[in-house]
Amino acid sequence: MKFILIYTTYKNMEEAQKVAGLLLNEKLIACANFFPITSTYSWKGKVETAEEIVAILKTMAENWQTVRDAVLADHSYETPCVIKLAEVEAN
């Protein structure tokens, strides 16, 4: 089996856990890890800094598009960060 990690950020833990819960209930991911971070980024011509939650979602490669679409559908950001990390190996 080919596994991938999906990296995405959320405005708070509640939103991150809500989306992960939906994905877990649909059996689209096996696990989600959450980390608080401070992000600095360029947005609409200005440099912004914000406290965010990173979610790392663990799933099979064939679920990438479905998970991506579900994350985008339930995300509060105008342009969410959703990054697929190439095939990984797991036990």
Side-chain angles (χ1 to χ4, degrees), residues 39-82:
S39 297
T40 300
Y41 51 92
S42 178
W43 182 249
K44 297 185 178 183
K46 293 172 46 180
V47 174
E48 302 282 346
T49 299
E51 301 301 314
E52 295 185 295
I53 300 296
V54 166
I56 297 177
L57 311 174
K58 301 167 190 171
T59 189
M60 294 182 291
E62 60 264 23
N63 290 342
W64 158 243
Q65 201 65 39
T66 304
V67 172
R68 179 187 171 275
D69 292 346
V71 167
L72 292 173
D74 288 317
H75 212 291
S76 66
Y77 287 175
E78 184 178 336
T79 307
C81 168
V82 185

